[in-house]
Amino acid sequence: MSVKQKIWICMDILFLIVLYLISSTDYVWHEKEILVPDVVFITDTPKNAAAINLQAGAEKAAEQYHADLKFLFLEDMIGQDMDMKKMVERELENGCDGIVLQCSSRKQTDDILQKIPIGLPVILYNTIADSPRMKSFVGAKSQETLEKTVQSIVQMRENEQTVLLVSQKNTKETVMQFQEMLENALKQSGVETKNISLANPQEANTLLYGLEQQKNTILFTADVQMLEALAEAKQTDTLALCGVGWSGKIRNALEQGDVQWTLAENNYISGYESVRKVAEFLNRTNFEQEELFTENVIVTQQNLYQKETELILFPFV
């Protein structure tokens, strides 16, 4: 037997030994397993342009961080005997792994968080609560939003104009809280304010009919539906109208000059960061509890289509 033949025989024997060891120890090669957690984003925000940006950002993060995302609007549950609490309970029963929650009611948020197991990560988006179940907050910084709003109102104010803060019966709790803080901040700045609460947005026509004969009033609302209704009802340029929020109707009102300015949040980034954070927690890559504040911008007719503003309002362009 030649030396070459002996070498091949030894290699065959060695190969058989390796195969035996693999079979006897269950040692097998695997590709790195990718976990795909089930994440649900539940919101009571209206379905408008801002919500579309929010959902698009959330879906982008779900794609990049390998999460199976379900995006749910309370608005879609009308007629199904559903509220935010019942929606969360249903998703928990369905076995979701993580939740992003936007809820305008502080009490309802606290009740919801009490029902969620402590080990399940919850990210709050523009929602206030104090609970060990909350892992992080994502959204606009309330103090920054307040300061920008006050500054913009003071700058546009002429001839000691009164600022009329408008709401409606169904204005969300978080919006009312913001308008209360705004009222106090404006008074500290020497600005006279008044409040009016309408039964519904349709009463905007009646309100403006009486006010448009005057020229000493600035209308402000942080209620998106009220801002849309006031802009639609506005007939003359004698009243200044401004607010907080973004939608297709508000965009049209800015273009036509019916709304002087609105404070809009970068909803795309908010959606993205919310899902990114819950996915990182579930994938065990980041357990840090954080407050992630997203930017907002004063949008006017003049800067509506400037590059910096478009990046926030139209992330798909």
Side-chain angles (χ1 to χ4, degrees):
M1 184 181 295
S2 66
V3 174
K4 187 176 182 179
Q5 288 176 321
K6 291 180 180 179
I7 293 175
W8 278 108
I9 291 173
C10 291
M11 290 178 64
D12 290 339
I13 294 172
L14 181 61
F15 180 69
L16 291 172
I17 292 173
V18 171
L19 288 178
Y20 172 77
L21 290 173
I22 290 175
S23 63
S24 62
T25 59
D26 293 326
Y27 182 83
V28 294
W29 295 98
H30 288 287
E31 290 186 4
K32 184 178 180 181
E33 185 178 3
I34 298 177
L35 299 176
V36 183
D38 291 321
V39 176
V40 59
F41 197 128
I42 304 176
T43 175
D44 59 3
T45 191
K47 291 182 71 174
N48 53 28
I52 291 173
N53 289 346
L54 182 71
Q55 183 174 358
E59 290 173 347
K60 184 65 175 179
E63 177 187 341
Q64 292 188 348
Y65 289 87
H66 308 293
D68 188 2
L69 176 67
K70 184 187 295 185
F71 202 101
L72 301 175
F73 291 94
L74 177 62
E75 187 175 309
D76 289 335
M77 304 298 165
I78 295 175
Q80 299 184 35
D81 189 30
M82 276 284 180
D83 57 22
M84 294 293 287
K85 185 177 179 181
K86 290 180 180 179
M87 289 173 69
V88 171
E89 289 175 345
R90 184 185 67 181
E91 296 308 314
L92 289 173
E93 291 175 359
N94 290 338
C96 72
D97 299 305
I99 296 174
V100 180
L101 178 68
Q102 180 187 22
C103 183
S104 58
S105 168
R106 176 67 181 266
K107 182 180 184 305
Q108 198 169 37
T109 301
D110 290 338
D111 290 343
I112 289 171
L113 291 175
Q114 288 296 323
K115 298 291 184 180
I116 297 176
I118 291 181
L120 191 145
V122 180
I123 308 300
L124 295 183
Y125 166 59
N126 275 345
T127 300
I128 304 301
D130 184 15
S131 169
R133 292 167 174 80
M134 180 191 75
K135 301 306 179 184
S136 288
F137 169 88
V138 177
K141 193 171 186 178
S142 59
Q143 187 60 35
E144 179 182 326
T145 302
L146 182 64
E147 290 173 357
K148 282 187 176 182
T149 304
V150 171
Q151 183 181 16
S152 298
I153 290 175
V154 170
Q155 287 177 348
M156 73 182 297
R157 189 167 173 256
E158 300 175 352
N159 302 321
E160 304 299 318
Q161 289 171 300
T162 298
V163 176
L164 182 61
L165 303 175
V166 186
S167 60
Q168 59 167 315
K169 181 180 178 181
N170 293 326
T171 293
K172 297 186 182 299
E173 180 183 324
T174 50
V175 174
M176 291 303 302
Q177 290 174 349
F178 176 78
Q179 293 200 174
E180 289 172 5
M181 292 190 299
L182 177 61
E183 181 180 12
N184 293 331
L186 287 172
K187 286 180 178 179
Q188 292 176 7
S189 299
V191 178
E192 182 181 354
T193 63
K194 294 181 180 179
N195 283 282
I196 186 168
S197 179
L198 306 180
N200 53 61
Q202 288 69 41
E203 289 194 350
N205 289 287
T206 304
L207 173 66
L208 291 189
Y209 180 79
L211 290 175
E212 285 183 337
Q213 307 306 316
Q214 308 172 27
K215 297 183 180 181
N216 63 336
T217 302
I218 296 174
L219 292 171
F220 176 91
T221 180
D223 184 317
V224 173
Q225 292 180 330
M226 276 308 311
L227 185 58
E228 293 173 346
L230 289 168
E232 186 176 353
K234 190 178 175 186
Q235 298 294 324
T236 69
D237 295 330
T238 58
L239 292 173
L241 175 60
C242 52
V244 174
W246 178 248
S247 70
K249 291 182 179 180
I250 294 174
R251 171 186 177 179
N252 293 336
L254 283 165
E255 291 176 337
Q256 297 167 9
D258 294 326
V259 171
Q260 277 56 59
W261 58 263
T262 186
L263 184 65
E265 180 189 337
N266 193 331
N267 298 106
Y268 183 88
I269 294 299
S270 294
Y272 182 92
E273 290 296 328
S274 298
V275 173
R276 176 191 67 82
K277 185 60 185 175
V278 72
E280 286 184 345
F281 187 93
L282 290 168
N283 291 328
R284 302 182 179 276
T285 57
N286 184 358
F287 292 105
E288 183 179 357
Q289 185 168 336
E290 300 176 281
E291 288 185 322
L292 303 172
F293 297 116
T294 50
E295 64 179 323
N296 49 36
V297 61
I298 295 290
V299 185
T300 66
Q301 187 183 55
Q302 289 71 36
N303 74 353
L304 178 58
Y305 295 111
Q306 291 179 2
K307 183 177 180 180
E308 294 79 6
T309 310
E310 283 189 327
L311 289 173
I312 293 176
L313 302 179
F314 316 111
F316 312 109
V317 177

